[in-house]
Amino acid sequence: MEGGGRPSATQAVLLAASTALTALLYSVYRQKARVARGLEGARRVRLDGDLRAVLLEAPGRCVPYAVIEGVVRSVKETLSSQFVENCKGVIQRLTLQEHKMVWNRTTHLWNDYEKIIHQRTNMAPFDLVPQEEGAGVTVRVMKPLDAAELSLETVYEKFHPSVQSFTDVIGHYISGERPKGIQETEQMLKVGTALTGVGELVLDNTTIKLQPPKQGMPYYLSAMDFDSLLQKQESNVRFWKILTVIFGFATCTVLFFILRKQYRHHRERQHLKQMQDEFRQAQERLMREMNAEGGETLKNACIICLSNTKACVFLECGHVCSCNECYRALPEPKKCPICRQAISRVVPLYNS
């Protein structure tokens, strides 16, 4: 604590940082909880003949947040893998990723570093259809790349190590970067993959569309079933809740420590004021007695015992107010009973 009972700069920074971090974690927790509640309250519909009738009866021919499960089927043409034969899909992502080692001047260690140097995504329109053959209901998936949880299957992956000469190795050690190679990856959303879609379901003329919802809720296209997806989001909520509680407890601990210090400082100030008032009253009483009796004895009497003669000078404050016996009886650390300043040394007082 600094003078006046104010928190120190370190305590103030620690309290402000922990409070801000707790508020940030609580905000994330509330957002995750809202998403989980919205996902739990989403309407589950089936890809069957009743789906069109359900949308016709819904306000605006729209279900704002619906869950639907189906199988991927291309609308017209499919995308073929560049590396795997007879591999067809509706989303294809080709990635070139650089791998190298970078020297960290702080830790004096070589750290792995990855960087995407090129990525291209191709997409073909596709529908979600029932897993059972023969049902004629289809749902057109709109803006699939905007969806969360969209997991593409890796169908091809190859690492091309870099070829280095001795001169290159020396140059890499000097520059602090050692190339390891290039990784080539192809990912696809295959035809026939089972997907769980969560979003806005709307009937547009004769086409049923699944698209991102307009109320700010997340848009999902996941290879997991709906129960697993919901369980994952609830686990996310529990994780952020635990983090919020931990940092909230830490914030309360810091605040309690600061308030406790301030309370103790307040009590010390009250005690000091009480002592000063008592000494002031004793001085006034002595003055009244001296005026009444006019004696020299009371004028030189110790203000603590009021019987012995003042016999020492307190330094550095310079007050002459106590006898030797009362000085030795003062509690440690010894302080002047008049001004409460610490007594560094005592000089005997000789009356001639």
Side-chain angles (χ1 to χ4, degrees):
M1 280 287 176
E2 294 180 349
R6 295 187 302 272
S8 65
T10 303
Q11 292 172 340
V13 170
L14 185 61
L15 180 62
S18 59
T19 303
L21 187 57
T22 302
L24 177 62
L25 292 174
Y26 179 70
S27 175
V28 175
Y29 159 70
R30 288 197 59 181
Q31 180 184 2
K32 299 291 184 181
R34 183 179 67 87
V35 169
R37 286 195 302 269
L39 193 61
E40 187 176 4
R43 182 176 178 179
R44 302 187 68 170
V45 296
R46 295 175 57 86
L47 274 171
D48 53 21
D50 296 333
L51 179 58
R52 192 177 298 273
V54 169
L55 291 173
L56 286 172
E57 294 176 359
R61 297 184 176 185
C62 171
V63 177
Y65 210 45
V67 180
I68 195 162
E69 297 177 342
V71 176
V72 174
R73 187 182 72 181
S74 61
V75 176
K76 295 180 181 179
E77 57 183 18
T78 58
L79 302 174
S80 300
S81 171
Q82 294 187 5
F83 306 98
V84 182
E85 293 183 0
N86 301 323
C87 182
K88 304 290 185 180
V90 292
I91 298 179
Q92 179 189 48
R93 180 171 293 160
L94 301 170
T95 305
L96 290 178
Q97 191 173 35
E98 178 187 15
H99 293 259
K100 61 183 177 181
M101 303 289 288
V102 177
W103 177 255
N104 191 315
R105 300 183 185 276
T106 303
T107 61
H108 300 285
L109 295 172
W110 289 96
N111 299 327
D112 288 322
Y113 178 78
E114 300 175 358
K115 178 183 178 182
I116 295 177
I117 56 179
H118 178 72
Q119 188 175 77
R120 187 182 72 209
T121 302
N122 303 320
M123 186 181 66
F126 67 95
D127 294 335
L128 289 181
V129 300
Q131 295 185 357
E132 301 82 8
E133 297 292 338
V137 179
T138 62
V139 173
R140 181 68 49 82
V141 178
M142 311 300 294
K143 299 181 179 179
L145 298 180
D146 294 345
E149 302 288 338
L150 179 61
S151 55
L152 304 180
E153 181 182 350
T154 301
V155 298
Y156 176 81
E157 188 173 22
K158 186 175 181 180
F159 185 76
H160 303 277
S162 60
V163 179
Q164 304 176 20
S165 64
F166 179 76
T167 306
D168 294 334
V169 172
I170 298 299
H172 296 154
Y173 271 96
I174 295 175
S175 64
E177 293 186 0
R178 291 162 46 191
K180 296 171 63 177
I182 302 296
Q183 182 174 353
E184 190 175 14
T185 306
E186 182 182 27
Q187 297 173 299
M188 296 192 73
L189 178 61
K190 293 183 183 180
V191 174
T193 302
L195 283 184
T196 299
V198 184
E200 184 182 69
L201 204 60
V202 60
L203 178 61
D204 186 7
N205 295 327
T206 60
T207 305
I208 302 176
K209 296 180 179 180
L210 179 69
Q211 59 190 19
K214 297 184 177 64
Q215 293 130 342
M217 296 299 291
Y219 180 39
Y220 291 103
L221 285 175
S222 175
M224 297 185 292
D225 60 82
F226 178 70
D227 293 332
S228 300
L229 180 62
L230 181 59
Q231 186 176 4
K232 180 180 179 181
Q233 299 304 318
E234 290 175 345
S235 300
N236 237 345
V237 172
R238 286 192 295 270
F239 171 76
W240 287 102
K241 183 177 182 180
I242 291 173
L243 275 184
T244 303
V245 170
I246 291 174
F247 280 90
F249 178 77
T251 302
C252 292
T253 302
V254 174
L255 182 61
F256 171 76
F257 177 77
I258 293 176
L259 292 178
R260 178 172 172 269
K261 288 289 186 180
Q262 287 183 330
Y263 174 73
R264 291 179 61 182
H265 180 79
H266 177 69
R267 289 289 301 272
E268 289 178 359
R269 290 185 60 185
Q270 281 188 329
H271 181 67
L272 176 61
K273 182 180 179 183
Q274 181 180 359
M275 293 288 293
Q276 289 176 342
D277 291 341
E278 290 177 358
F279 281 119
R280 189 179 304 110
Q281 292 173 4
Q283 285 180 336
E284 292 176 354
R285 186 169 61 252
L286 284 173
M287 293 299 296
R288 287 196 300 268
E289 291 177 357
M290 284 190 299
N291 292 334
E293 299 180 6
E296 187 67 21
T297 302
L298 286 176
K299 181 177 180 181
N300 294 324
C302 170
I303 67 169
I304 298 177
C305 63
L306 300 179
S307 58
N308 296 328
T309 306
K310 300 175 184 177
C312 52
V313 181
F314 296 153
L315 299 178
E316 302 293 330
C317 64
H319 283 121
V320 180
C321 58
S322 170
C323 62
N324 289 324
E325 289 79 3
C326 291
Y327 163 71
R328 288 193 293 269
L330 290 175
E332 296 290 344
K334 297 184 184 299
K335 296 182 178 180
C336 174
I338 298 296
C339 63
R340 303 299 296 168
Q341 185 174 342
I343 302 174
S344 61
R345 59 195 181 99
V346 178
V347 177
L349 181 65
Y350 300 101
N351 295 319
S352 58

